[in-house]
Amino acid sequence: MIQLDEVAVIGGGFVGSFISWLLARKGVNVTLFEEHSEFGYPPHCTGLVSISGLKRLGIYDLLRREGIILNKDVRSAIFMTHSGKKFPVRLSEPIAVVLDRPNLDRATAEKAIDSGAKANLLTKVTNISLDGEVIAISRNKGTLKRKFRVIVDAEGSSRTLIRELPGVNIEGLLPAFQLDIKGLSNSDLLDTSRVILYFNLPDFFSWIVPVDDSGEKWRIGLASRKYSSKLSRIARSITHLFFRNTRILNMFGGLVVSNGPLKRFVWGKITAVGDAAGQVKPTTGGGVIFGGFSAIILSKIIQMHLNYDLPLRYYELTWRKLFRTNFQAMSLIRNTYNTLTHAGIDVLARFIPRNILNNFKTDFDFQLEGILRKLR
């Protein structure tokens, strides 16, 4: 039974709260640092997550009971090129849901705290060292300095605390912008069970997601480094194209990780997980599920490290053995798109049958199998 060994988790988003929960319920002494006044804010994520991924993480039923699932019936998509050619996908059953991300983060943090994790809100970590030292500034307690046997950096894609460490880069981090609106559909393409992916940008894409099943609330978002100064303007133009009588409910931004995992996840007593480690699908920028998978792996390695001195580097080795091939395939798709840009995709689309994606069945997260099946 682990009692006195301590782990610092930096960042109270879903991944940081999830690994805190996993460790605390196994008896590990966990301190969770969050710089904001509450968990879940400010929001960054689109909230579109696979059902199969949530079930693999073991939290799907919990989210249903807690009312965190806003739209449980996403079963179709339209891939639309810049010139307007459309490739529809429709399946017989839902494959994804839209989550209330702030409530997801908050509920997960509460589970961690109920399991024994200590939460330090309004506490910004300013420095971490290879020997386990954490320096933080608390709005209530002033400067804090403390040593831990393991540090988990779950601060997200900014990588502020680890960007000077070997193998860390900030390339492929794309500025993102999202609008939550209430409005009436101006297009027969819109459906509460359908997501639209609009390839109108040279280095990523735009998206329209039905927030719930009312048909009134929608999320319009996009990510691009090349058009970073125009994101708000482009999002509003997409809104005007697809909707009428709109009212903006919320605006928020962030960074999308598009270049895959870092070369390293471990440095001395420091480990990185989730967006901070680049454990995000390069194809879509989705990080909830793989961040959760990575948190499970890291939590088990940490427990064995604390109990039996298992080197933390086994976290890297295990992760790459499980996920490297799928991430390489997704990175190849991302790099191909970045080379062609939306203009090249437009040209290729002229020679591709419109129904090529009909009944295209693939795992929403582990995409390699579906890709190979379609190629065959």
Side-chain angles (χ1 to χ4, degrees):
M1 181 73 174
I2 302 168
Q3 294 179 339
L4 299 178
D5 300 306
E6 295 179 305
V7 176
V9 178
I10 302 165
F14 168 69
V15 175
S17 296
F18 189 52
I19 193 169
S20 298
W21 180 22
L22 294 172
L23 290 168
R25 69 186 188 184
K26 293 295 184 180
V28 178
N29 190 300
V30 180
T31 301
L32 175 59
F33 294 93
E34 169 55 48
E35 65 178 305
H36 297 100
S37 61
E38 60 181 312
F39 295 104
Y41 288 93
H44 301 291
C45 178
T46 300
L48 185 69
V49 181
S50 72
I51 295 173
S52 61
L54 293 174
K55 289 181 176 178
R56 286 176 177 134
L57 294 179
I59 61 174
Y60 179 73
D61 291 336
L62 170 66
L63 301 188
R64 291 193 65 175
R65 290 195 304 269
E66 297 280 342
I68 294 171
I69 297 177
L70 300 176
N71 187 343
K72 60 181 183 297
D73 188 30
V74 179
R75 65 177 69 213
S76 64
I78 289 180
F79 294 78
M80 187 167 74
T81 68
H82 185 44
S83 62
K85 186 168 183 179
K86 303 168 188 66
F87 298 90
V89 181
R90 186 167 184 85
L91 302 175
S92 58
E93 59 186 21
I95 62 168
V97 296
V98 180
L99 302 179
D100 182 340
R101 257 312 290 275
N103 274 333
L104 170 67
D105 296 0
R106 184 162 46 247
T108 310
E110 288 173 355
K111 291 291 184 183
I113 295 168
D114 290 344
S115 298
K118 303 180 189 71
N120 288 345
L121 291 168
L122 292 173
T123 305
K124 181 179 178 61
V125 175
T126 58
N127 188 68
I128 55 178
S129 61
L130 299 179
D131 64 355
E133 184 176 74
V134 172
I135 300 176
I137 298 176
S138 168
R139 193 174 299 181
N140 300 319
K141 302 176 183 179
T143 301
L144 304 176
K145 185 182 293 187
R146 190 174 173 190
K147 276 197 172 182
F148 295 85
R149 289 189 62 183
V150 180
I151 297 172
V152 176
D153 183 359
E155 64 178 316
S157 53
S158 63
R159 301 169 187 166
T160 304
L161 297 170
I162 61 172
R163 62 174 55 195
E164 301 300 326
L165 296 176
V168 178
N169 65 71
I170 56 173
E171 296 177 3
L173 300 182
L174 309 179
F177 178 80
Q178 298 191 92
L179 286 175
D180 281 352
I181 67 158
K182 186 174 184 179
L184 301 175
S185 168
N186 200 31
S187 170
D188 58 4
L189 297 179
L190 295 174
D191 187 288
T192 58
S193 66
R194 178 182 297 149
V195 173
I196 295 178
L197 305 179
Y198 185 20
F199 294 91
N200 61 330
L201 300 166
D203 48 351
F204 210 66
F205 56 86
S206 303
W207 55 87
I208 302 176
V209 173
V211 173
D212 56 26
D213 57 8
S214 69
E216 295 183 345
K217 294 181 180 180
W218 304 83
R219 183 161 293 150
I220 296 96
L222 67 162
S224 173
R225 177 183 291 169
K226 294 183 179 179
Y227 289 171
S228 59
S229 63
K230 303 177 181 179
L231 296 183
S232 175
R233 189 191 316 169
I234 297 172
R236 292 172 189 271
S237 68
I238 295 172
T239 302
H240 295 150
L241 180 64
F242 285 93
F243 300 94
R244 66 183 188 277
N245 300 330
T246 58
R247 178 164 61 92
I248 295 176
L249 303 175
N250 192 20
M251 295 186 292
F252 53 101
L255 292 172
V256 169
V257 181
S258 68
N259 63 336
L262 299 180
K263 294 180 180 180
R264 292 179 61 177
F265 305 151
V266 178
W267 309 264
K269 295 185 177 182
I270 299 172
T271 63
V273 69
D275 285 22
Q279 295 158 342
V280 175
K281 290 181 289 187
T283 47
T284 66
V288 170
I289 299 303
F290 275 106
F293 291 156
S294 304
I296 291 173
I297 295 169
L298 179 54
S299 70
K300 293 182 182 297
I301 297 298
I302 288 175
Q303 290 173 59
M304 288 188 284
H305 173 73
L306 297 176
N307 280 319
Y308 310 112
D309 290 326
L310 181 75
L312 289 172
R313 68 174 181 273
Y314 278 88
Y315 163 46
E316 289 180 353
L317 297 173
T318 304
W319 194 95
R320 297 191 192 282
K321 183 175 182 179
L322 291 173
F323 302 133
R324 173 185 285 169
T325 303
N326 270 280
F327 268 76
Q328 286 176 337
M330 289 187 284
S331 293
L332 177 61
I333 294 173
R334 166 56 47 208
N335 292 335
T336 301
Y337 180 84
N338 289 347
T339 300
L340 293 173
T341 76
H342 59 315
I345 295 296
D346 257 348
V347 174
L348 287 178
R350 300 173 190 172
F351 307 98
I352 299 175
R354 182 177 179 274
N355 63 352
I356 190 172
L357 296 178
N358 280 354
N359 298 315
F360 178 38
K361 297 181 179 180
T362 186
D363 192 301
F364 198 71
D365 302 301
F366 294 89
Q367 300 170 359
L368 178 59
E369 181 181 350
I371 293 167
L372 293 176
R373 188 187 305 117
K374 180 55 66 174
L375 289 174
R376 287 196 295 267

